[in-house]
Structure formats: C-alpha cells, structure tokens
Amino acid sequence: MTPILFYLIQGCDASVLLDDTSNFTGEKNSFPNANSLRGFEVIDNIKSQLEISCPGVVSCADILALAASESVGALGGQRWNVALGRRDSITASLSESNSDLPAPFLDLSGLITAFSNKGFTTEEMVTLSGAHTIGQVRCRFFRDRIYNETNIDSSYAKAMQAACPFDSGDDNLSPFDPKTPATFDNAYYQNLVNLKGLVHSDQQLFVNGSGETDSQVSRYSRNMGRFKKDFSDTMLKMSMLTPLTGSDGQIRTNCHFINE
C-alpha cells in the first residue's frame, strides 16, 4: 500500500516508524501494514546523514512529510510546501492502525466515514485515493475482487489472476496502476472508469457513471492538471494533521526507537 496514509493514525508524528520491542508494540505489524510497508531504509539513510550534520534537530516526522512531497514531485506530480517543526511520537497504536486505516475491502460509505473521521470531505477522499496511481498491493488484498466481483473488466481480471493465484501467492505484489506504475499521473482514475480498479475500495469510487463520486473520478480521468493541483492541496492539509510541536514528543535519534 502507499505510505501517504501513514498520517491517518495518530497524525503526522512518525509513529509508524517505531519497531516493536519487549515492552513496546508499534504499528508495523497491523493487518494493513504487515509485509506491506517498505522503504524504511530510505528514511534511515536520510536520518543518519542529518544526525551527522545537525544532530537532534530534524524529526523523523518532518523527514516523512518531506519525503512524501518530494517523492510525488520526483514521479511527476506537484510538490506542496511542507511546514516544518513536527516532533516525533513516543507512542504508537496497533489497535488504531488496525481500525483506522481504510481497508481495501471497504464500500464507498465506509471510505467516506473513515476519511470523515479524520476531517476530510468526500471530495478530498477521492483526491487522496489518487495516491494509488503509484505503489503496489499484495495479492491477498485483491484476490476476492479479481475472482468474484463482476464490476471489473474481464481481460484485466484474467491478467491479474495470473499474478495472484486463487489459492497461493498472498504476498505477490502488483501495481495499483499497471499502465504507468512509476509515474504520478491520472491513469488511476482512467482505470476506474474502465473498471480496472485493482482493489474493491478503489472501484467503489466509480460504480456505473452515476454514483456519488463518479463525476469527480471522470473529471480527474480527463484533467490531469486538476488532479495534481487538488492532490497537492489536500496533501498539504493532511501533512498538518495533529502534528506534535513545542515540548510534546521528542526528536528521535533513531527513527525506529524512542530515545532512552
């Protein structure tokens, strides 16, 4: 899954980076995250270099926020101005990670509720879902859709069945967007219009051309510039989701562990 929804748990506080220890349980092994989150070594490398040049100054939370913007920009999307000064959480919540992250099996009403609970409108939910124009997802999260659902292009379903066998390959990875998997563009929405959404929750955004969010999906499928601008604006809002500032939290020395 894409890392952008890290923010939907405790906020932009880098809680997702914390490893489990003998007396601490983090979020990495929650149902949505286990064997799905990747790229921690990139954050580690950035943090180690910053600790050499300016120790104890730049938080892991700020690194994550900047990395999200820079990665989107590097892949062809629009960067946003990331406000800095976040501090790192000294807590994490496995239960909230299991319950609050929007599951790939949700219907539209469930998606709307999940994002509304974090202060986002239905329109913003559709915009943020466009993060799936990049990233990959495990077979276990889309198997039921490609074998049992009917609102899916038959040739696409057959192709995905080759990548995700009916009774094996749970951890096989496939791109959300097979057209341009490493480019931040509007192909994700074009796929939805053509009934080629890979996970159930994605295709819920476009049902039959007359659903609650269908018009926005259609608009983005035709207007890449509008999508990129809206995504940048909404990610700026998400990056400000309940950050820790002032004396709250800490500046971790190692992003994986709370300072002793």
Side-chain angles (χ1 to χ4, degrees):
M1 310 291 278
T2 58
I4 289 173
L5 296 183
F6 287 172
Y7 300 140
L8 285 182
I9 306 304
Q10 296 185 169
C12 195
D13 63 0
S15 61
V16 73
L17 298 179
L18 291 170
D19 285 348
D20 291 354
T21 68
S22 58
N23 56 7
F24 179 89
T25 301
E27 300 166 2
K28 287 183 177 178
N29 289 312
S30 68
F31 177 70
N33 290 339
N35 298 317
S36 291
L37 296 185
R38 289 169 169 80
F40 296 113
E41 68 280 359
V42 177
I43 304 301
D44 294 340
N45 182 47
I46 296 170
K47 179 63 173 175
S48 64
Q49 294 184 53
L50 285 169
E51 285 301 305
I52 293 172
S53 58
C54 49
V57 174
V58 183
S59 69
C60 303
D62 271 354
I63 294 172
L64 272 181
L66 286 165
S69 175
E70 290 302 310
S71 61
V72 167
L75 294 175
Q78 180 173 317
R79 293 173 175 85
W80 51 95
N81 294 321
V82 179
L84 302 177
R86 298 167 185 78
R87 289 167 64 83
D88 296 322
S89 172
I90 58 174
T91 65
S93 177
L94 180 66
S95 61
E96 286 186 33
S97 183
N98 278 320
S99 63
D100 286 12
L101 280 176
F105 316 113
L106 288 181
D107 290 335
L108 181 59
S109 60
L111 289 170
I112 292 172
T113 298
F115 279 83
S116 176
N117 287 341
K118 298 297 181 179
F120 294 97
T121 67
T122 298
E123 291 75 17
E124 289 170 334
M125 178 272 292
V126 174
T127 302
L128 290 173
S129 296
H132 285 177
T133 188
I134 55 175
Q136 300 185 87
V137 60
R138 287 190 291 157
C139 162
R140 66 180 301 182
F141 291 125
F142 63 86
R143 178 183 286 116
D144 186 64
R145 170 159 167 74
I146 62 174
Y147 285 99
N148 297 319
E149 295 189 8
T150 57
N151 62 332
I152 185 170
D153 178 84
S154 58
S155 61
Y156 177 62
K158 185 175 182 179
M160 295 313 303
Q161 288 169 9
C164 181
F166 183 78
D167 56 0
S168 63
D170 276 5
D171 290 334
N172 292 354
L173 292 172
S174 293
F176 284 104
D177 168 24
K179 292 176 61 178
T180 53
T183 302
F184 199 92
D185 56 20
N186 63 337
Y188 165 79
Y189 297 101
Q190 295 171 358
N191 293 337
L192 298 186
V193 171
N194 291 314
L195 301 183
K196 294 181 180 180
L198 184 53
V199 298
H200 176 83
S201 57
D202 280 344
Q203 194 61 60
Q204 286 290 291
L205 302 183
F206 189 91
V207 182
N208 56 17
S210 60
E212 181 176 355
T213 58
D214 287 19
S215 62
Q216 185 178 353
V217 170
S218 296
R219 184 164 64 251
Y220 282 158
S221 75
R222 299 189 301 268
N223 191 332
M224 180 155 54
R226 181 72 268 169
F227 161 59
K228 289 182 178 181
K229 174 63 167 58
D230 288 352
F231 186 85
S232 174
D233 290 345
T234 309
M235 277 302 299
L236 176 59
K237 174 180 175 178
M238 179 172 275
S239 73
M240 299 303 294
L241 189 65
T242 58
L244 298 174
T245 58
S247 60
D248 293 332
Q250 62 181 208
I251 305 296
R252 287 184 218 140
T253 300
N254 182 328
C255 291
H256 293 264
F257 303 102
I258 298 165
N259 297 342
E260 295 184 357

